[in-house]
Amino acid sequence: MLVSVIIPAYNEEKTIRQVLEAVQALPLEKQIIVVNDGSTDETFSILEELGSDKNLTIVHCEENRGKGSAIRSGISSVEGKVVVIQDADMELSPNDILHLVEPLKNEKVEVVYGSRFLNGRGNASIHNFIANRVLAIYTNLLYGCRITDESTGYKAFSTDLLKNMNLTCEGFEFCPEVTAKILRAGYQIHEVPVSYFPRTKKEGKKLRFWSDGLFAAWTLLKYRFISKTKIFNNT
């Protein structure tokens, strides 16, 4: 089963090489797609240096438009049966991709999330844990589901499902938009536990828990009432 790993990257010169080495070392058939989202540091140069690797597809965006836009830019290059979203930092261990894609070998499973909190708080700060827990409970109440980590960076999909989904996200709202549309369409989200090693703003973290969290809550609410006929491109 060919797995396409999309890695959106914006100013990740400190970690991009390590992430790529870890993903390339995974014992599975894979296609690696890195989307350089208008980086202004050395990310571009590092990717150019590594671009000759036969398993590496590089998509360059002239300007920074956000994580959602970068992911959508990468989807058109996907060749695998399964798509995994991998952040360009090391907050999540690439080794967990093996656990993430395993349930997708079952044709009845279309979506798998790597939950940082399925087995408790782990390495997350208390503020991070509470914010994510509140968002997960909010999602469960809105959509009648039972997930523990809506905003996880590790999401895996069947390619057909993701390519046919009418996504409009630009920034970090990729997570709530794709979650909302999957649940609204009647699909079940399966979760597997993953390791979590959070970094600080000083170390390069870009997500803002409270402001981005409120925007995520609004996005989840907005799509709760979307017509099912508008979720997919082919309907």
Side-chain angles (χ1 to χ4, degrees), residues 1-21:
M1 181 175 69
L2 179 62
V3 176
S4 294
V5 183
I6 298 178
I7 307 176
Y10 174 62
N11 288 352
E12 297 289 2
E13 62 180 8
K14 295 180 181 179
T15 56
I16 187 64
R17 190 186 300 272
Q18 184 181 3
V19 168
L20 288 174
E21 289 176 352

Side-chain angles (χ1 to χ4, degrees), residues 24-194:
Q24 287 173 332
L26 294 175
L28 51 76
E29 186 181 3
K30 55 196 171 292
Q31 173 199 20
I32 304 173
I33 304 166
V34 187
V35 183
N36 173 43
D37 188 27
S39 296
T40 57
D41 64 356
E42 294 301 312
T43 300
F44 178 90
S45 299
I46 293 171
L47 292 176
E48 287 291 294
E49 173 192 338
L50 300 174
S52 60
D53 190 289
K54 64 180 180 179
N55 289 326
L56 192 62
T57 299
I58 301 174
V59 178
H60 286 303
C61 301
E62 292 297 326
E63 59 182 27
N64 175 242
R65 296 185 60 185
K67 180 177 180 177
S69 178
I71 291 172
R72 290 193 291 118
S73 296
I75 290 174
S76 60
S77 298
V78 166
E79 299 175 358
K81 183 178 179 180
V82 168
V83 180
V84 172
I85 308 302
Q86 163 75 55
D87 288 340
D89 54 45
M90 290 296 290
E91 284 199 341
L92 300 170
S93 171
N95 288 331
D96 284 328
I97 289 178
L98 300 175
H99 305 299
L100 200 66
V101 302
E102 186 65 27
L104 287 159
K105 294 178 180 179
N106 182 339
E107 293 184 357
K108 294 181 179 180
V109 177
E110 300 276 358
V111 186
V112 181
Y113 282 14
S115 173
R116 297 164 293 177
F117 310 115
L118 196 60
N119 293 330
R121 194 179 108 189
N123 294 318
S125 69
I126 188 64
H127 295 96
N128 185 349
F129 177 71
I130 290 174
N132 280 284
R133 187 63 186 142
V134 168
L135 190 60
I137 292 173
Y138 176 76
T139 305
N140 293 339
L141 290 173
L142 274 178
Y143 291 92
C145 58
R146 297 181 66 181
I147 60 175
T148 62
D149 193 2
E150 187 281 324
S151 61
T152 175
Y154 262 161
K155 292 177 167 66
F157 313 86
S158 69
T159 297
D160 289 342
L161 175 63
L162 190 60
K163 280 192 170 184
N164 287 330
M165 192 169 295
N166 180 23
L167 295 174
T168 62
C169 50
E170 292 288 330
F172 287 116
E173 76 273 19
F174 166 78
C175 287
E177 180 181 348
V178 76
T179 298
K181 289 183 175 180
I182 284 168
L183 294 172
R184 186 75 180 94
Y187 291 93
Q188 180 181 354
I189 296 174
H190 294 254
E191 289 187 313
V192 296
V194 295

Side-chain angles (χ1 to χ4, degrees), residues 211-229:
S211 57
D212 287 319
L214 289 173
F215 190 45
W218 160 243
T219 302
L220 288 162
L221 179 62
K222 177 177 66 173
Y223 287 121
R224 174 63 181 84
F225 304 102
I226 189 176
S227 169
K228 293 183 181 180
T229 61

